[in-house]
Amino acid sequence: MLNIVLFEPEIPQNTGNIGRLCVCNGLNLHLIKPLGFEISDKYLKRSGLDYWQYLKINIYENWQEFYSPRHNSQFWFLTTKAQKTLWQVKFKEDDYLVFGPESRGLPLELRANPENSLLIPMFSEDYKRSLNLSTSVGIVAYEALRQIKILS
């Protein structure tokens, strides 16, 4: 099952939307603390609607607690600092798609390996700092699902 990992998410509405996306597509959601909100946050619940009760979610105190038992898994780190696009890799069913916090993205130590860092292309020359987190997760998750469902 494909895994969505939110490293230190800050905005409850984004996490709620992502949780809903995960439920609708049978994806696991992993949240790595610190979180910028409480899991009981009304905005999180409103965005997730009544889907939240069906969400396969795991919450970890820090990156090491999350990563240690999975260190042999395939991780893809989404960042605007990557050279490789999401269209240049072949996703597999048990991959982990890792996204950083809304205000600062993934820290350097998580995106240190350029082979595992991926970029979502943006085509406007005017203003293209980054996309919204829940939009980014949707784009990458659906590309991964397309590959897994069609190409497997």
Side-chain angles (χ1 to χ4, degrees):
M1 179 177 302
L2 195 62
N3 296 277
I4 303 299
V5 182
L6 302 183
F7 179 81
E8 300 180 1
E10 299 167 328
I11 301 173
Q13 294 92 332
N14 283 334
T15 301
N17 289 336
I18 293 164
R20 189 172 171 183
L21 175 99
C22 288
V23 170
C24 291
N25 290 287
L27 311 178
N28 292 319
L29 180 61
H30 304 270
L31 302 180
I32 300 172
K33 291 181 178 181
L35 308 179
F37 50 86
E38 296 293 324
I39 290 298
S40 61
D41 191 296
K42 69 178 181 178
Y43 298 109
L44 175 77
K45 299 291 186 179
R46 185 180 301 151
S47 298
L49 295 174
D50 57 347
Y51 293 77
W52 198 255
Q53 64 185 324
Y54 304 109
L55 180 62
K56 296 174 187 122
I57 186 171
N58 295 289
I59 302 170
Y60 307 88
E61 290 301 315
N62 54 51
W63 175 256
Q64 200 56 37
E65 180 186 340
F66 165 74
Y67 182 75
S68 290
R70 296 169 184 83
H71 68 276
N72 289 324
S73 300
Q74 177 63 64
F75 287 86
W76 299 108
F77 299 94
L78 282 295
T79 174
T80 59
K81 314 285 189 294
Q83 299 300 310
K84 186 188 303 187
T85 73
L86 72 148
W87 300 318
Q88 294 175 287
V89 299
K90 181 163 177 15
F91 294 104
K92 296 180 298 308
E93 193 166 326
D94 294 323
D95 286 357
Y96 289 83
L97 308 176
V98 184
F99 299 83
E102 292 90 339
S103 66
R104 61 190 186 280
L106 289 171
L108 180 59
E109 60 269 17
L110 294 188
R111 56 182 168 80
N113 182 350
E115 285 302 308
N116 292 16
S117 294
L118 301 178
L119 171 73
I120 299 170
M122 292 179 278
F123 302 104
S124 170
E125 294 302 320
D126 297 329
Y127 187 78
K128 58 179 190 176
R129 191 179 71 199
S130 66
L131 297 170
N132 174 275
L133 178 61
S134 62
T135 300
S136 297
V137 171
I139 290 168
V140 180
Y142 272 98
E143 173 58 17
L145 287 168
R146 182 193 71 80
Q147 288 185 19
I148 292 164
K149 300 294 183 193
I150 293 173
L151 303 177
S152 62

